[in-house]
């Protein structure tokens, strides 16, 4: 799909968003593929989301990635939500069609599973119970992905119990909801623990969790990538657990976005990863 006649625009929409490293690797892909275009950060307050999304077509955008706190609200605004995003209950990517309508999908699930597979090739979702902390859009994508990959037990822990119960009610299957007070004990016998909250991200307090019951063989994952090692991951690594940060998920979810916007599936290379890591 060639676009010689126009300047291509895409971006990431969130609040806050200026910390995002997405522009760096998306703009690298523009250069790599010889396309005239730019990927920009769009800092949009929640109350302006509707107007911002409706402005994408007149401004000439091909699409945007959607991040915190817009992943669920944007679903109500776009014209069409695909089956995957409906099932997950959150969108992470919007494509602007030629007629101006907006189509939403979720690439977080793909990004997360692809990153884990790349960085820990022997990993299996059915190796044992998985503990997922948090119940926002990121959590929904992670829970859905783990269930699809064959996880037999997902222990979902969230500060607000009702939000976790919503996910369990929607997904059913292997999800078992535990209260916030049970989070330390939930790690007993787990094969994986994933932090999907923003705790541990720069500017936010660290995730409060004791890891003494987590088996040393378990994989500790965090969908945060600034910093590359959150206090939670540092504590897990110090006791001998394998870890994975959120950068691989971020990079990999960009691939299907490009496929939808520009008809190109770019590669996530060690070079791109190193380039982004240098700035964090």
């Amino acid at each position: 799909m060639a676009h010689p006649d126009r300047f291509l625009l895409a971006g990431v929409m969130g609040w806050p968003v200026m910390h995002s490293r997405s522009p760096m690797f998306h703009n690298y892909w523009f250069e790599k593929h010889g396309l005239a275009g730019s990927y920009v950060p769009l800092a949009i307050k929640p109350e302006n989301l509707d107007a911002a999304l409706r402005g994408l077509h007149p401004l000439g955008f091909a699409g945007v990635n959607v991040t915190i706190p817009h992943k669920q609200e944007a679903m109500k605004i776009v014209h069409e939500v695909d089956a995957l995003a409906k099932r997950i209950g959150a969108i992470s990517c919007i494509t602007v069609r030629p007629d101006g309508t907006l189509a939403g999908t979720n690439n977080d699930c793909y990004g997360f599973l692809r990153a884990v597979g790349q960085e820990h090739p022997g990993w299996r979702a059915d190796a044992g119970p998985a503990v997922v902390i948090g119940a926002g859009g990121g959590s929904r994508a992670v829970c859905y992905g783990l269930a699809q990959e064959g996880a037999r037990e997902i222990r979902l822990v969230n500060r607000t119990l009702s939000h976790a119960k919503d996910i369990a009610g929607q997904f059913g299957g292997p999800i078992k909801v535990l209260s916030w007070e049970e989070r330390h004990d939930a790690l007993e016998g787990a094969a994986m623990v994933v932090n999907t909250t923003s705790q541990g991200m720069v500017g936010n307090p660290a995730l409060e969790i004791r890891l003494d019951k987590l088996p040393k063989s378990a994989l500790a994952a965090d969908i945060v990538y600034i910093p590359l090692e959150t206090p939670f991951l540092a504590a897990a690594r110090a006791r001998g657990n394998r870890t994975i940060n959120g950068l691989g998920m971020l990079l990999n979810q960009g691939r299907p976005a490009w496929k939808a916007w520009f008809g190109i599936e770019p590669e996530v290379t060690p070079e791109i990863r190193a380039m982004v890591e240098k700035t964090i």
Side-chain angles (χ1 to χ4, degrees):
M1 199 187 288
H3 307 271
D5 56 335
R6 66 188 180 100
F7 188 80
L8 303 173
L9 266 178
V12 57
M13 205 175 266
W15 184 260
V17 81
M18 297 318 284
H19 66 277
S20 174
R21 293 307 189 269
S22 295
M24 178 179 283
F25 66 88
H26 282 278
N27 286 320
Y28 170 93
W29 283 338
F30 274 124
E31 208 174 307
K32 178 106 177 149
H33 291 279
L35 298 177
S38 187
Y39 184 99
V40 293
L42 300 164
I44 305 296
K45 289 180 177 172
E47 61 269 28
N48 297 332
L49 182 63
D50 190 298
L53 289 175
R54 294 187 193 286
L56 291 173
H57 182 251
L59 288 170
F61 275 79
V64 289
N65 290 120
V66 183
T67 188
I68 293 170
H70 302 320
K71 291 186 181 196
Q72 284 160 282
E73 206 48 45
M75 282 187 83
K76 302 171 191 169
I77 300 166
V78 299
H79 301 90
E80 194 182 313
V81 177
D82 73 2
L84 173 66
K86 272 185 192 152
R87 191 82 187 87
I88 291 171
I91 59 178
S92 71
C93 181
I94 294 170
T95 301
V96 182
R97 294 177 174 147
D99 66 358
T101 57
L102 306 174
T105 187
N106 192 304
N107 297 329
D108 285 343
C109 179
Y110 168 89
F112 175 73
L113 293 174
R114 179 99 183 180
V116 178
Q118 273 175 346
E119 294 177 51
H120 300 281
W123 172 82
R124 291 175 59 98
D126 60 1
V131 179
V132 177
I133 302 159
S139 168
R140 286 172 168 273
V142 168
C143 287
Y144 182 80
L146 291 173
Q148 289 297 104
E149 288 293 303
R152 289 193 283 267
E153 186 185 345
I154 299 169
R155 301 168 186 167
L156 183 57
V157 184
N158 190 52
R159 221 175 265 278
T160 309
L161 195 64
S162 60
H163 294 172
K165 283 184 170 167
D166 284 349
I167 295 178
Q170 219 177 323
F171 290 9
I175 299 180
K176 181 177 155 195
V177 174
L178 299 170
S179 72
W180 188 244
E181 292 67 40
E182 294 174 280
R183 67 192 182 281
H184 313 295
D185 296 334
L187 300 177
E188 196 162 349
M192 180 184 217
V193 53
V194 190
N195 173 41
T196 70
T197 74
S198 58
Q199 290 192 297
M201 190 192 273
V202 165
N204 290 349
L207 179 69
E208 287 175 70
I209 191 158
R210 289 194 312 273
L211 302 179
D212 46 312
K213 295 200 172 170
L214 184 69
K216 294 279 198 313
S217 57
L219 175 62
D222 204 316
I223 69 170
V224 167
Y225 65 91
I226 300 176
L228 286 168
E229 188 170 75
T230 56
F232 159 65
L233 288 186
R237 186 175 55 80
R239 62 194 298 282
N241 291 93
R242 293 169 301 148
T243 64
I244 175 171
N245 62 39
L247 184 55
M249 177 177 173
L250 177 79
L251 295 169
N252 278 289
Q253 55 85 29
R255 297 180 73 227
W258 262 63
K259 182 91 170 133
W261 301 336
F262 309 125
I264 293 167
E265 204 159 355
E267 284 305 305
V268 172
T269 59
E271 180 193 2
I272 288 181
R273 194 182 180 105
M275 177 185 76
V276 177
E277 279 182 354
K278 267 192 203 116
T279 72
I280 297 175

